[in-house]
Amino acid sequence: MNYDIDRFFRQDKLPHIWCPGCGHGTIMANLARAIDKANLDPDKIVVVSGIGCSGRASGYMNFDTLHATHGRAIPFATGIKLANPELNVIVITGDGDGAAIGGNHLIHGGRRNIDLTVILMNNHIYGMTSGQFSPMTPTGANATTTPYGNIDQNFNLADLTKASGASFIARGTAFNTRQLIEIFNDGLLHKGFSFIEAISQCPVNYGRRNNIDTAVKMLEWQKESSVNIKKWNKLSDEEKKGKFPTGIIYKEDKREYTEMYQEIIDSVQKEA
Amino acid sequence: MNYDIDRFFRQDKLPHIWCPGCGHGTIMANLARAIDKANLDPDKIVVVSGIGCSGRASGYMNFDTLHATHGRAIPFATGIKLANPELNVIVITGDGDGAAIGGNHLIHGGRRNIDLTVILMNNHIYGMTSGQFSPMTPTGANATTTPYGNIDQNFNLADLTKASGASFIARGTAFNTRQLIEIFNDGLLHKGFSFIEAISQCPVNYGRRNNIDTAVKMLEWQKESSVNIKKWNKLSDEEKKGKFPTGIIYKEDKREYTEMYQEIIDSVQKEA
Amino acid sequence: MTNKAKLLQGDEAVVEGAIAAGARFFAGYPITPASEIAEGLAEKLPIHGGKFIQMEDELASMACIIGASLSGLKSITATSGPGFSLKQENLGLGMMIEAPCVVVNVQRVGPSTGLPTSPSQGDVMQAKWGTHGDHPVIALAPSSVEETFELTVKAFNFAERFRTPVILLLDEIVGHMREKVVLPKQDDIEIWDRKKPEVSSEDFNPYEETEDHIPPMPAYGEGYRYHTTGLFHDKTGFPRGTNEDAKKLMDRLMAKIEENMDIISLYEKDIRDDDEVVVLAYGSTMRSAINAVNRARNEGIKAGWIKLKTLWPFPEELIKNLSKDVNSIIVPELNRGQLIKEVKEHVFGNADVRGINKYDGTLIKPDEILDLIREVK
Amino acid sequence: MTNKAKLLQGDEAVVEGAIAAGARFFAGYPITPASEIAEGLAEKLPIHGGKFIQMEDELASMACIIGASLSGLKSITATSGPGFSLKQENLGLGMMIEAPCVVVNVQRVGPSTGLPTSPSQGDVMQAKWGTHGDHPVIALAPSSVEETFELTVKAFNFAERFRTPVILLLDEIVGHMREKVVLPKQDDIEIWDRKKPEVSSEDFNPYEETEDHIPPMPAYGEGYRYHTTGLFHDKTGFPRGTNEDAKKLMDRLMAKIEENMDIISLYEKDIRDDDEVVVLAYGSTMRSAINAVNRARNEGIKAGWIKLKTLWPFPEELIKNLSKDVNSIIVPELNRGQLIKEVKEHVFGNADVRGINKYDGTLIKPDEILDLIREVK
Amino acid sequence: MDRYEIRLSGAGGQGMILAGIIIAEAVLYEEGLNVTQTQSYGPESRGGASRAEVVLSKEVIDFPKVIKPDILVALTQKAYDKYSKDVKEDGIVIVDDSIDTKDSKNKTYKLPIFEKAINEVEMKLTANILVLGVIDDLIPQIRTSSIKKAIKNRVPENTVAVNMKAFSVGKKMAEGGNIGE
Amino acid sequence: MDRYEIRLSGAGGQGMILAGIIIAEAVLYEEGLNVTQTQSYGPESRGGASRAEVVLSKEVIDFPKVIKPDILVALTQKAYDKYSKDVKEDGIVIVDDSIDTKDSKNKTYKLPIFEKAINEVEMKLTANILVLGVIDDLIPQIRTSSIKKAIKNRVPENTVAVNMKAFSVGKKMAEGGNIGE
Amino acid sequence: MPNKGKVKITHPNRCKGCNICVMYCPTDVLKVVDGQITITDIDDCVGCNNCELSCPDFVLEVVEEDDK
Amino acid sequence: MPNKGKVKITHPNRCKGCNICVMYCPTDVLKVVDGQITITDIDDCVGCNNCELSCPDFVLEVVEEDDK
Ligand SMILES: Cc1ncc(C[n+]2csc(CCOP(=O)(O)OP(=O)(O)O)c2C)c(N)n1
Ligand SMILES: Cc1ncc(C[n+]2csc(CCOP(=O)(O)OP(=O)(O)O)c2C)c(N)n1
Ligand code: SF4
Ligand code: SF4
Ligand code: SF4
Ligand code: SF4
Ligand code: SF4
Ligand code: SF4
Ligand SMILES: [Mg+2]
Ligand SMILES: [Mg+2]
């Protein structure tokens, strides 16, 4: 398939500011391909991001875009969507933005099952602020605020969002771009809260400090660590160690928030 | 067993301010019994609560007690515990305090697996502010802010805290007090983040609005709806409908945060 | 023909005023003494096709109404002190990106949990300075149920007209007090809607410098596809990171308010040419002030009053001029002396400025003001 | 014998000062330009047996250091504008329950995300008014790396001595600037620790009214088993909900600061008897001010300067008196005019007060101040 | 000044606030009469003492709270002790007969309010409406029919009958006690 | 006044800030000499232009930033265009030879900085330290030995050798270009 | 683990008359009269502790006979 | 779904020389020279699209032969 993505970018803002080899660029490009594939009306797309390197994405994408406050993209998006349910609202967040400061909004968005597509670019670090650890920095890894090695555990974001009530949960990698496009496409078309963790790489602020100092090496790590969900379920616990599943991890038909609210309006207005 | 709980209460503050039949009193009394049973040193117990009817508990219990801000009891408790790990730190929160505004701290406390015992008094409503819905108000129920019936979904807090990384997860009811004492006891003795959802009843602000207008009726509902976890796992999905499991739902030996931090200190200081 | 009289609480008047002004979105989190506003709008909004959502906290509530505003709806949230503190970061974003919306704070006694059910005017300075950095603020404070309706409508009008969040500062007394009021008929209410762009999307700059400093604002989904950020930005909406852009934007944000003082600065006064003492008040405190002034006049004292309905921007010129005409200005407040600081700053030594301050949850009684009038006269 | 000279950033001097003052707990969340403080303390604290924790956000960070303080450790957090806005609610609790702790705000240009890497003094008023309700505030502002060390130690000392959160306001210039400094030896540094109760737990009242207004404070776990709440409370720590208790507590919270102005209010000045113009400044802006005053004097202008190290409580008397002695006060600030409002309020018309304001991320150059000195002289 | 002040006090849950609201709502049916109604809760939002205040005036009402009540109703000893001293010199005090009113300086009526609510209306919770019957004639600015309309508007539909009964029991009691003479 | 000002400018990642820090750190070894070192990033924390400034003085340094540099180093055209006009009349400008310096009003040295870093030091990233060698003799207040000590302290241990080489290549280049005469 | 003792109303002033203990008592020992808990016939009490554990206001205690 | 086309450097100015496309190319068509992507031998290109999909800076596109 040939993708026409130039139209989805603000050409005068390119090249983007992300570092050489930063996975965020690959992920954003493939989000654009998925939008192309899903054939959405670009005038009805809104991209909301928080603050972080990941948050820069909103500035590059040629839709209605909001670069909000750190961690709060989902509640902004919730207002945008509920106020006008015909909009396709995409949230782009980071592992710090979405899972640290923004964790509560993530789970409450999932609980409401409001029709947002949330893409969390997980590069396992606070990239923008130069490399402090995030809730997704592996235990034992190095970051500027873990001079003696990270003792924090990580979230399993797929488990967390599933437990929260989200109805579409997937994980992809900057490495496996074809899978990423499929996942994005499905997430965009899913009616309900779609959560997609996109594993990214930050060679500058994670790689360098952790002896995987090039983007290429980091992509190789993604390749080695990821297992398609179909295979994953057949692995032993031993085999799963150090690996993670990718693909659509969970999907459910479930009543969506703005639709339910519209039903209230319709019934109240009918009565009146 | 005979419990000696008077010593754990500030007698001059009793009778407490909770309404007749409020489940919070039963839960607090049985927490005291569990403390008695676990034989903890009362001088080394700290109770931290947020704001809400549930939050009142800290004022009645005769330990070092902190009635903090709405939703933030866990981070206050985190500071208390990390600063002095020999303290037994108990958090008492509500379904609004702990699962709405405080949701992020709940999952991050679980992720860190810091040794706190978090008791969430779930009465399915904002009691203190007179009956607005909480994330735990059943879909379809009535609350002051759901004049047309509640369309929000609920969290399954056991699933959510498990996904967050907590190492002890249990659920009890104000109805089954003997089980509650056991659960509290085990949670208090567990090293790591212990999350206990204690189903409570608010006859005044939930019951009255939902045609279960006495505490007794509400306790009967608890009895009918709860299934011991041992039986629960044998039920069909159909049989599970409208019911919830009680007992110790999950327990895991897992490294605890303040212990890991102490190891850092020890190793850094040895080097120096 | 007029409307029928109603018995309304201040909180209920906010609900009525919001609906009348065209509000179609509420997001909030319950808190005493503001919960009645949420409860009222939960019921009323869907009747008018609007949306109500209860969010997980106040930060999310503030974010949510800004989002709804960007989607084109007039939006509102309501809270009290603790929640107002939590809204500050996102409120600052709203000011920076110029999102029209209304933020109600029904004040109770702080700091912290304080006295949750008692009246206060303790958040007046926070309304001006609560979020980091310099920023433009409009804040209105009604003194009666009727005025609450009036100023709620005005708050939406100012928000839409000047493209900025507007703060409505009730105190618990006004919020919970019931009064008999006759609301104006919908047709008699002046309503402002935000300016929409008249150019095509190609020629559109979301933060265009216009003569009135207020850039037209399309709704999301109308095809303009523009960018909005809390970073300092130029007219295109994008940050260039230059110092000039920062100054230019900040100056414009301030200018759109400062240059419209005559519209925004609402006040009433009853000062006679020879009055020597003036009581300046706002909110529920105003009512004691008027009572005291009337009684003072009965005693032959040359006293007058001035009621500020708009607290921010502060009417600097008005006070400067007033200070030249009178000997004393008395400022009763339910706090330790907040707005009085502005008064003192602007009288510049021309008049004696005296405060009467209660911050224990009780009201200032007319007698207390009268006593001071007698003393300074 | 003195210590060796070091090359330190302001942020690093906070780290050194905190360790020297006895800080043993940090909780925070990264943000430019304050992250270096977290990074430094992450490394240094465990060496001294202290604890570092990175929290999920700023609200939690503020809560966490208050908790640690209650457990008996001297604790600190560091942030910048957006995070400072988020800390406000819990900061108010800290003031209400009198939890000693230090909150650093390395100011960048706001509002909102603003200009994240550029210097500002835009949060000066927020430091005073950011949380809801009236509340006691101590805020210090260093103008050099050396002073940052000094005031960090002082911040902890004031926090412990007066049992209250203390705010340390750096600006990005001071925070990121490197200077050659010689730190004092540990033995030469004056250290204060919180007063501990001398009575048994039976006789203990956690909020006892003492002569100095500062109640002794045991650590959790020491057997006193006391209650603490953000509601207004009496000496037992429990809320009775009476208006008298509210006033009494608020008055005490304020008194412990107001009555210790001589200790808390730190400033330096170089004003000769016949100086007619005084430049009043603080933080990095001070450095341009001194440069300008020195050059003005070389030109024979009668100018002096005053450097405020303590911004809050504001030295009202000092300014009142100063205003009687000079013709003009110039207040340069990296904001749209914040502390100048206090100056104006307290000169009461006695002197001409002029601001120089930059809020675009650039510094005020010595020449700009000199020009104004020449103009007003 | 034609300002007329009513304070209704008791414990939380006794319905004093609703009673205050009903008086205020009744004013809607009286042309040219203004009203403000306020309440105060205990220290927190539930529990403790409760107090409702109503101010009536033909003029615009400035200070919205009661300064010196013309009528004080107190249903608990605590409420009586706290508020009885504020009553206007020629004001009237009405209390449940369980209350000790020694040293009262005002015209004070001790009435078996709860007893009648329990025994005649057979619903203790209607004491608040019963009180409205008692004081109805003391408020000449408001017609009885207006109060009755307001009761119907404000009490739950299924309790209108019992509340109207409470109201008339109260009115009768007032006659018996010769209140208002 | 003995105030002496140095501005090092280039693109993010060229190590100009580290070079500034090294000069400042070298001052630790010079009795009685004070220093302030500042930097400015681009609009955001990464990317864009970067600038380090060092002010030296025997007196207390008030204004901590460069007002009119005695030395300007510019490694990119952008940096040169932006900063060259601020240089003191008798100040010195040093640029990479790829830069167009027409209309320069100052003594300007175009040196093959990157070329030498690539070819002689075999590590382009050492250009910043090479620059320190170039300007070493222009800063009489600081001894060469002090600069060398500071380099050793501040660069990663495993790069000390290559950086010392870069420093001497820089020094040699300065001699070749007769800088400082 | 049923106790050998009998119920005692140790803190009558705290009782709010909620009827919870009444619901739990297997032998109808307890009754709320005028909003206050009362014991109908203490001999019926089997000392099961249900009431003690369930009372939200910790009004009741089951005590050894000789403690009474 | 491999494309029939060949790689083209459509936006050379955006290339940051990260080597990602190089890693992905099955036939070693691409090479970073002086920090810039270059094509060694276009004939080797099998039009697999790997490079296009993986480039973080969307520098490359696989286009139909006749588009070239
Ligand atoms: C309230 C607030 N706190 C902190 C920051 C500073 N900050 C900006 S981005 C960021 C972390 C970004 O990390 P992540 O979300 O993982 O994005 P990445 O840069 O890694 O893509 C932080 C802490 C901020 N801007 N606002
Ligand atoms: C920041 C803030 N927001 C809102 C409130 C108001 N508030 C107090 S308690 C409460 C809800 C309590 O509900 P829950 O936690 O379920 O406790 P319950 O009263 O039901 O036991 C709310 C919203 C507050 N005190 N602070
Ligand atoms: S710092 Fe990391 S996340 Fe940010 S742009 Fe660079 S590589 Fe990407
Ligand atoms: S309102 Fe509900 S939760 Fe609160 S005390 Fe009453 S019954 Fe309990
Ligand atoms: S359970 Fe307790 S409070 Fe309720 S009726 Fe029985 S003794 Fe009284
Ligand atoms: S102990 Fe058991 S039997 Fe005895 S009164 Fe209590 S519930 Fe009834
Ligand atoms: S992947 Fe893109 S940016 Fe990286 S080298 Fe290839 S073309 Fe250049
Ligand atoms: S399309 Fe495939 S074969 Fe051709 S250059 Fe790209 S990666 Fe190599
Ligand atoms: Mg990240
Ligand atoms: Mg609840």
Side-chain angles (χ1 to χ4, degrees), chain G residues 7 24-27 29-30 44-52 62:
Chain G
V7 72
Y24 274 92
C25 180
T27 55
V29 174
L30 300 163
D44 290 346
C45 175
V46 298
C48 71
N49 265 63
N50 278 0
C51 54
E52 176 179 344
V62 174

Side-chain angles (χ1 to χ4, degrees), chain C residues 62 66 84 87-95 103 165 167:
Chain C
M62 188 67 222
I66 292 176
F84 196 53
K87 286 184 200 288
Q88 291 299 331
E89 193 206 2
N90 286 333
L91 181 57
L93 179 88
M95 292 161 174
V103 179
I167 297 164

Side-chain angles (χ1 to χ4, degrees), chain B residues 18 22 24 50-56 69-72 93-101 120-130 132 134-135 200 202, chain C residues 29-32 35 57-58 79-84 86 108 113 116, chain D residues 89, chain E residues 45-46:
Chain B
W18 289 318
C22 175
H24 292 359
I51 304 291
C53 293
S54 44
R56 293 294 177 81
T69 46
H70 188 41
R72 317 297 171 193
T93 180
D95 47 321
D97 192 66
I101 191 168
L120 187 147
M121 295 178 170
N122 177 8
N123 57 6
H124 309 97
I125 201 79
Y126 290 172
M128 163 134 293
T129 46
S130 304
Q132 300 80 16
S134 89
S200 185
C202 172
Chain C
Y29 188 81
I31 188 166
T32 307
S35 300
D57 62 21
E58 287 89 348
T79 188
S80 187
F84 196 53
L86 292 176
R108 60 193 227 183
T113 318
Chain D
E89 193 206 1
Chain E
S45 45
R46 284 163 319 88

Side-chain angles (χ1 to χ4, degrees), chain G residues 1-20:
Chain G
M1 42 193 130
N3 203 291
K4 294 243 176 70
K6 296 272 186 193
V7 72
K8 191 179 165 192
I9 303 174
T10 49
H11 295 285
N13 67 313
R14 294 186 196 155
C15 176
K16 293 173 185 156
C18 70
N19 268 311
I20 288 178

Side-chain angles (χ1 to χ4, degrees), chain A residues 24 51 53-54 70 94-97 123 125-129, chain D residues 30 58:
Chain A
H24 292 0
I51 304 292
C53 292
S54 43
H70 188 41
D95 46 320
D97 193 66
N123 57 5
I125 201 78
Y126 289 171
M128 163 134 290
T129 47
Chain D
E58 288 89 348

Side-chain angles (χ1 to χ4, degrees), chain D residues 76-110:
Chain D
I76 174 171
T77 186
T79 188
S80 187
F84 196 54
S85 288
L86 292 177
K87 285 183 201 289
Q88 291 300 329
E89 193 206 1
N90 286 333
L91 181 57
L93 180 87
M95 291 161 175
M96 188 74 149
I97 70 172
E98 300 173 75
C101 56
V102 173
V103 179
V104 186
N105 174 359
V106 187
Q107 297 163 94
R108 59 192 227 185
V109 185

Side-chain angles (χ1 to χ4, degrees), chain B residues 11 16 18 26 30 175 178, chain G residues 14 16 24 48 50 56-57:
Chain B
Q11 294 297 325
H16 54 60
W18 289 318
T26 305
N30 289 298
F175 173 77
R178 289 184 172 84
Chain G
R14 294 186 196 155
K16 293 173 185 156
Y24 274 92
C48 71
N50 278 0
D57 291 81

